[in-house]
Amino acid sequence: MNFLKKLLYFKTYRELKPEVLQNLFSSIGRTVIPLIMLETILLFMLLPSMGKIMYLWYVAIFSLSISRLYDGYQYRGNLKKHSLEYWHKQFIIKAWGTAFLLGCLALFTIPNLSEYYQLFVFMILIGISGGAVVSLSSDHRMAIGYIMILLLPVAVEMLLLQTWNTVIIGLLLILYFITLTNMVFHGYDTNLLMDRKNEEIAKVQSELQTKQEMLALFFEQAPIGIFTYNTDLVITDCNQAFLDLFALQKEEIIGRSLSQLPDNSPVRPAKKALTEGPQTYVGPYMSIKGFNYWIEAKSAPLYSREKKVIGGLILIEDKTKEHNAIKELEYNAMHDSLTSLNNRRGFIDFMEKMVSMAEHQRYYSILFYMDLNQFKYINDSLGHSFGDKLLVAVAERLKQLVDAHNNLTRMGGDEFIIVAPFIDELPDKTKNRAEEYVKKIEKSFNEPFILDDVLLHVRTSIGVVIIEPGFNDIEEIVRHADVSMYQAKKHGHDFISYYNKALDEERKKVFNLQHELISALHDNALELYYQPIVKIKDDSLHAAEALIRWEHPVQGLVMPEDFIPVAIESGIIVEVGWWVLETVCRQIKEWKEVGRWKVNYISININAKQLLKNNFAQTFLDKLTEYGVNSSDIKIEITETSLIDNFEMTQDVIVELQQSGIRCVIDDFGTGYSSLSYLKKLSFSVLKIDREFMSGLVDDEESIALMRTMISIGKQLHYNVIIEGIENATQRDILREIDNTLSYQGYVISPPLPEEEFTEKFLV
C-alpha cells in the first residue's frame, strides 16, 4: 500500500524546487552523450538482423537525444526564458520519449534476434535503466516512469512468449524494475529527510544567535572564572569570578600573554582550541601570586559572524578541595588502614597494570605469598591490639626488602604478598633470584620483634609463584599463590613451597605429544594436503602449497599450529621436514608419470632452524635428484619471523640453494618485523602476505591502503606477490582492482585438500 501511495503521488509544479531541475539538466551531458554512443552501437549491431527500419529508429532517437542536449544548453544559458513547469514538461516528455524508443526497439527486435543478441540487448536495457535511476533520482516520478516505459513492455512480452527461458527473463526484469523503484523511493525519502534536517539547522542557527546575545550577560554574572584571549594568546577580558579566584585586579591580567604566565600548563590546550575545537586541562596550576591550585580549565574557540576564529574563551573552576578529597579516598581505597601497605584492591590494580605492560610478554616475574606462623595464637594470647602492633612491625621490616618497582601488599589478616616484576627472560635465572629473595625474607625474620617489652620470634610460611610471561589470569595467579603458601605451611620444616603443578601437567602433555608425534612419523600417520595457488586475474591454477596434517588416534585431526611448535622444541621438526620433502617429491614424480603435472611448482614449509642442520642444501638437492624432480618444481617457504631471527646463520644456506635453482618464499609477511633492507638482502622470488591483513579489507579503507602499500613494496623489490587467506569473492575483487597480476590462495577457491581430491579437482 505504501508503495502504491508513493507511485501515485503527484508533486505539483508549485512545489517543484529549482534545484531539482538544476540537478536534472546538469546531468544531461553526462547521460545523453553515452546514450548516443549506445544507440549507435545498437544500430550497427542490429542492422544486419532488422534491416533498414533501424535507420528510421536511429534518426528518431538521435534527433531526440540532440534535442535533449540543446535543452540543457538553453536551460543553463537562459533559465528565465520559460517557466519551471515548461522546462520540467520538456525534460519529462523527451526523457520518456527516449525510453519509449529504446523499449520499442527491444520489444520488436528481441523475438527476431539470436540468444547472443538478445542477451546483448538485455544488458543494454539493464545498464540504461540503472543509469536512469542515478541521473533522474532528483524527480522520483520521472525516474520510475522512465524505467517502467523501458522495462515493463519487454518483461510482458517475455512472459507472453511462454518459453521457459523467456518467462524467467520476464520475471527477472519485473523483479529488477521493483528493485530500481525501491531504490528511487529510498533516495526520495533520503532527500526529504535532508530537507527537514536543513530546516532544523536553520532553526538551531537562529537560536544560537539569541544565545550569543545572552553570552555577555552570562559572562559577568557566571559563578565560575571566565576570561577571553585573542589569536595571539593575549588576554582581552575576564569576569569578576576569575579575579576573585586568583586574588587579582583587572589591570594585573588584561593585556598579558598566556605564554608569559609563571605556569603555562593551560596554555597548550588554549592554543590547541583555536585550531582543533574545545579542549580541557585538569591539573595543578600556580597563580601569578604563587598560590597552588588544582583547576579544571575548559578552552573553546570564539567565532565571528563569518565563522572565523577570532580568539578563545576559558572557563576555570577551582577543584583543589575536590582533588585532595578524591586523592585521599583513592589512597584509602587502595591501602590498608593499619599498615599503609597496598590492600587487596591495590594489589589487583598493580597486577592489572603489570600484566598489561610489554615487558610482561617476555619476562618472568615472582610472587611471594607469606603467612605468619601461629599469629592466631599471639592474637588470642596477647590481644588484638598487640597483634595489630606486630603486623605494623612486620610491614616495616618487609618494606626494607622491596624497592620502588616491587609491590608489597597486606592481603588481610596476617597474610602479605611481595611481587617482584620482570626479573629475567629465563626461568632458571628467575628461580635463582626467587631463592635469593626467600633468603632475604627469612633473614628479616631471624631478628626477634620487641613490642611492649615482649620479645617475639616470628616465622613465616612462604609460597612462591613464578609468573610466566604472557600469563594474564590474575585470579589464577592468586590461587596458585594461595595453594603454594598452604603447601608451605603443610610441609612445616622448610616453610617454603614453589607452585609447579600446572607446569608439571603441561610438560607431561608436551612430552606425551612429542613421543606420539615420533610414532606418527614412523607409522605413516601424517598426511599432506594441497591448497591451490591461483592467478587472481582469471583464477587459473598457478601452483600449490603442501600442508601437513596429523590424524591422531584419540584427538582426531590435529592441525599444524598445535604440533609443529612441539616438533620444533623437541627437534623432531628436522625429521618432519625431510618427510614432507620426500612425500612431495614422490607425489610430483607420480603426477608427471601419469601426465597430471599441471602446476608450476609445489611449495613446502621449512623452519629456518632446519636450514642450520649440517649439509641441508646438499641433502635437499640429493632428494630432488633421487626422485627426478627439477629444482624449479619446488619452492621453500620460510616464515618472516623465523627467517630474520636466524638471518646471519641461514643466509649462506639460502644462497647455496638459490645458486642451484631453488627459489624461496617469504611466508606470513607483515606479521614479523622485517625491514626493507632485509627484503632486499634476501632476494627471494615470492612474497606471501599473511591472512591477518584480510580481515578488514572489505569495509576498512585503511586496511585497503595498507594492503596496497605492501603489494607495492613487494613489486618494487621484484617479488611475485601471493595473498593468503582470501575467504570470499569480495576480498578477491578488491585485490584484483589493486593489482590483477597477483596470485592468491584461500577458501574462496579451495581449502587444503587431500592428494586424491586435489588431483581430481585441479589436475584433470
Side-chain angles (χ1 to χ4, degrees):
M1 184 62 67
N2 189 43
F3 177 87
L4 291 175
K5 286 181 179 179
K6 289 183 178 180
L7 189 61
L8 296 175
Y9 171 73
F10 188 89
K11 181 190 294 182
T12 65
Y13 291 105
R14 193 176 306 166
E15 298 173 314
L16 187 66
K17 296 183 179 179
E19 54 265 28
V20 173
L21 278 178
Q22 179 64 36
N23 291 336
L24 291 173
F25 277 102
S26 65
S27 66
I28 282 183
R30 296 192 302 272
T31 56
V32 174
I33 292 175
L35 191 59
I36 291 174
M37 297 174 64
L38 287 174
E39 293 162 1
T40 306
I41 292 172
L42 283 171
L43 171 66
F44 286 104
M45 291 292 292
L46 301 181
L47 187 61
S49 302
M50 302 305 299
K52 295 182 179 179
I53 191 68
M54 286 299 301
Y55 287 119
L56 294 176
W57 174 87
Y58 183 75
V59 169
I61 198 166
F62 182 80
S63 301
L64 190 58
S65 298
I66 293 299
S67 176
R68 293 180 68 192
L69 286 174
Y70 180 73
D71 284 349
Y73 172 77
Q74 284 286 91
Y75 180 84
R76 288 190 294 272
N78 194 5
L79 170 63
K80 296 183 179 180
K81 183 178 180 181
H82 302 290
S83 66
L84 291 180
E85 179 180 354
Y86 172 85
W87 287 116
H88 192 241
K89 284 183 177 179
Q90 284 290 105
F91 194 98
I92 290 178
I93 291 170
K94 294 179 181 180
W96 285 359
T98 303
F100 175 75
L101 289 175
L102 288 168
C104 287
L105 177 67
L107 193 65
F108 293 109
T109 60
I110 286 175
N112 302 317
L113 297 176
S114 65
E115 291 185 357
Y116 172 81
Y117 283 104
Q118 287 179 353
L119 179 60
F120 175 77
V121 173
F122 284 134
M123 290 175 63
I124 293 293
L125 291 180
I126 289 171
I128 292 173
S129 60
V133 168
V134 175
S135 62
L136 304 179
S137 60
S138 299
D139 189 332
H140 72 289
R141 295 178 303 106
M142 188 186 302
I144 293 171
Y146 190 99
I147 59 177
M148 182 183 296
I149 295 169
L150 185 64
L151 297 179
L152 288 187
V154 179
V156 172
E157 181 183 46
M158 292 294 99
L159 294 174
L160 292 176
L161 290 177
Q162 296 184 359
T163 67
W164 186 81
N165 287 338
T166 59
V167 169
I168 289 179
I169 292 173
L171 292 174
L172 288 175
L173 284 174
I174 292 172
L175 180 60
Y176 181 61
F177 167 75
I178 294 172
T179 301
L180 291 180
T181 303
N182 279 325
M183 289 174 60
V184 172
F185 286 150
H186 178 73
Y188 174 70
D189 291 340
T190 301
N191 289 336
L192 289 180
L193 180 61
M194 290 300 297
D195 289 342
R196 288 196 294 269
K197 290 294 183 183
N198 289 334
E199 292 174 359
E200 292 174 3
I201 290 172
K203 182 180 178 181
V204 169
Q205 288 176 335
S206 175
E207 293 175 352
L208 181 60
Q209 182 66 29
T210 302
K211 291 179 180 178
Q212 286 176 337
E213 293 173 355
M214 296 175 62
L215 183 60
L217 192 60
F218 166 79
F219 184 79
E220 284 302 324
Q221 298 180 6
I224 61 174
I226 304 175
F227 73 90
T228 59
Y229 57 97
N230 61 23
T231 53
D232 294 325
L233 302 181
V234 174
I235 298 173
T236 57
D237 200 1
C238 65
N239 68 353
Q240 189 59 42
F242 174 82
L243 298 173
D244 294 341
L245 174 61
F246 296 112
L248 295 171
Q249 298 297 320
K250 208 162 192 177
E251 56 271 17
E252 293 178 285
I253 193 69
I254 302 301
R256 297 191 66 161
S257 173
L258 292 176
S259 58
Q260 295 175 346
L261 298 178
D263 187 346
N264 59 5
S265 299
V267 174
R268 184 178 178 185
K271 186 177 181 180
K272 199 174 180 182
L274 298 178
T275 56
E276 298 183 22
Q279 306 289 322
T280 299
Y281 169 77
V282 179
Y285 176 74
M286 186 179 70
S287 71
I288 293 174
K289 296 193 173 180
F291 299 114
N292 291 314
Y293 297 83
W294 187 273
I295 64 169
E296 180 179 14
K298 296 181 178 179
S299 308
L302 291 176
Y303 298 92
S304 65
R305 291 185 180 275
E306 293 77 26
K307 302 301 181 182
K308 181 180 178 181
V309 175
I310 58 175
L313 174 143
I314 297 183
L315 309 179
I316 297 182
E317 287 187 81
D318 183 6
K319 299 286 187 178
T320 307
K321 292 181 180 179
E322 180 181 337
H323 173 69
N324 291 338
I326 290 174
K327 281 183 66 176
E328 185 177 355
L329 287 173
E330 288 177 347
Y331 182 88
N332 292 336
M334 295 289 185
H335 291 80
D336 174 46
S337 59
L338 177 65
T339 62
S340 297
L341 302 179
N342 281 345
N343 57 17
R344 180 179 289 271
R345 185 174 177 181
F347 167 79
I348 297 298
D349 181 69
F350 174 85
M351 293 295 292
E352 287 176 346
K353 292 177 181 176
M354 187 191 84
V355 300
S356 67
M357 296 175 70
E359 292 92 334
H360 182 60
Q361 303 303 316
R362 296 166 42 218
Y363 287 91
Y364 286 83
S365 301
I366 311 172
L367 185 149
F368 304 92
Y369 201 142
M370 294 163 284
D371 179 87
L372 302 182
N373 296 331
Q374 296 184 325
F375 180 75
K376 186 177 183 301
Y377 175 79
I378 296 172
N379 243 354
D380 293 342
S381 302
L382 302 175
H384 289 279
S385 177
F386 188 92
D388 288 345
K389 292 178 182 179
L390 176 59
L391 292 174
V392 171
V394 169
E396 291 301 318
R397 287 199 184 180
L398 292 177
K399 286 179 183 179
Q400 307 304 314
L401 304 178
V402 299
D403 56 33
H405 301 292
N406 299 156
N407 174 268
L408 176 57
T409 297
R410 181 191 173 204
M411 289 294 283
D414 61 336
E415 297 175 355
F416 296 84
I417 284 181
I418 294 177
V419 179
F422 316 138
I423 298 299
D424 203 287
E425 294 183 4
L426 300 175
D428 291 339
K429 289 186 177 181
T430 305
K431 188 171 183 180
N432 291 339
R433 289 288 301 277
E435 292 173 352
E436 294 174 5
Y437 267 97
V438 167
K439 290 178 181 177
K440 290 181 179 179
I441 295 171
E442 290 179 327
K443 184 177 180 181
S444 70
F445 283 89
N446 286 340
E447 284 289 325
F449 292 88
I450 303 175
L451 302 170
D452 296 342
D453 297 327
V454 177
L455 187 146
L456 287 175
H457 289 277
V458 179
R459 301 296 300 271
T460 179
S461 298
I462 308 172
V464 184
V465 178
I466 306 296
I467 304 172
E468 296 185 355
F471 188 77
N472 298 335
D473 192 334
I474 298 171
E475 184 177 339
E476 191 68 6
I477 292 172
V478 175
R479 189 186 69 81
H480 291 174
D482 194 57
V483 169
S484 62
M485 186 266 290
Y486 278 99
Q487 286 175 338
K489 290 184 73 71
K490 182 179 179 181
H491 292 158
H493 59 281
D494 55 7
F495 306 106
I496 181 170
S497 175
Y498 285 83
Y499 183 84
N500 54 23
K501 181 180 179 181
L503 181 61
D504 282 346
E505 290 178 353
E506 182 63 25
R507 296 311 301 172
K508 181 179 179 181
K509 180 181 177 181
V510 171
F511 180 82
N512 291 336
L513 200 61
Q514 288 175 354
H515 284 269
E516 289 171 348
L517 182 56
I518 294 173
S519 299
L521 192 61
H522 294 159
D523 297 339
N524 205 28
L526 300 177
E527 182 180 0
L528 284 185
Y529 281 42
Y530 296 87
Q531 185 173 35
I533 301 171
V534 299
K535 294 289 187 181
I536 202 165
K537 183 176 182 180
D538 54 7
D539 285 347
S540 60
L541 184 64
H542 175 63
E545 180 180 3
L547 299 164
I548 193 169
R549 299 291 186 266
W550 177 13
E551 190 65 40
H552 192 279
V554 176
Q555 300 179 30
L557 187 65
V558 182
M559 302 303 285
E561 57 264 30
D562 295 322
F563 67 87
I564 290 298
V566 175
I568 294 173
E569 181 180 348
S570 63
I572 309 171
I573 189 64
V574 176
E575 293 184 59
V576 172
W578 292 127
W579 178 87
V580 170
L581 177 62
E582 287 207 47
T583 305
V584 169
C585 288
R586 193 180 301 115
Q587 187 61 62
I588 292 175
K589 180 180 179 182
E590 179 181 334
W591 279 332
K592 287 185 175 182
E593 289 174 349
V594 298
R596 289 197 170 188
W597 176 247
K598 307 229 173 140
V599 295
N600 292 307
Y601 64 86
I602 301 293
S603 65
I604 63 174
N605 292 278
I606 296 293
N607 185 270
K609 293 182 180 180
Q610 188 179 352
L611 298 177
L612 303 178
K613 296 299 179 182
N614 291 337
N615 300 319
F616 175 86
Q618 189 57 51
T619 306
F620 189 95
L621 295 170
D622 290 343
K623 293 290 183 184
L624 300 188
T625 303
E626 179 183 348
Y627 289 94
V629 174
N630 298 326
S631 59
S632 60
D633 293 340
I634 288 184
K635 279 188 171 60
I636 295 176
E637 292 195 18
I638 310 173
T639 62
E640 175 193 13
T641 302
S642 68
L643 185 65
I644 305 306
D645 284 343
N646 303 276
F647 180 79
E648 297 298 331
M649 294 181 288
T650 59
Q651 183 69 353
D652 292 340
V653 181
I654 291 170
V655 170
E656 185 178 352
L657 289 169
Q658 290 177 330
Q659 290 173 347
S660 301
I662 302 297
R663 295 293 173 256
C664 298
V665 180
I666 298 179
D667 194 16
D668 296 342
F669 177 71
T671 60
Y673 44 79
S674 62
S675 65
L676 296 183
S677 62
Y678 272 119
L679 291 180
K680 188 174 181 181
K681 289 177 184 177
L682 291 170
S683 300
F684 281 15
S685 63
V686 178
L687 191 70
K688 295 184 80 171
I689 296 178
D690 189 67
R691 68 183 65 245
E692 177 180 326
F693 298 93
M694 298 303 301
S695 59
L697 197 64
V698 173
D699 52 13
D700 184 2
E701 289 298 324
E702 291 185 357
S703 296
I704 295 175
L706 177 60
M707 179 63 72
R708 194 186 301 274
T709 301
M710 295 173 70
I711 292 171
S712 176
I713 290 172
K715 291 287 185 177
Q716 290 181 29
L717 294 175
H718 309 295
Y719 283 85
N720 294 318
V721 179
I722 297 175
I723 312 295
E724 295 182 300
I726 298 184
E727 305 294 339
N728 55 63
T730 303
Q731 294 173 333
R732 177 180 58 193
D733 293 341
I734 292 172
L735 289 168
R736 187 179 288 154
E737 289 181 8
I738 294 174
D739 189 339
N740 67 359
T741 66
L742 301 172
S743 298
Y744 76 93
Q745 61 189 102
Y747 276 57
V748 69
I749 192 70
S750 174
L753 299 172
E755 178 272 323
E756 291 185 3
E757 290 185 39
F758 177 82
T759 302
E760 291 303 317
K761 187 172 181 180
F762 292 99
L763 302 182
V764 292

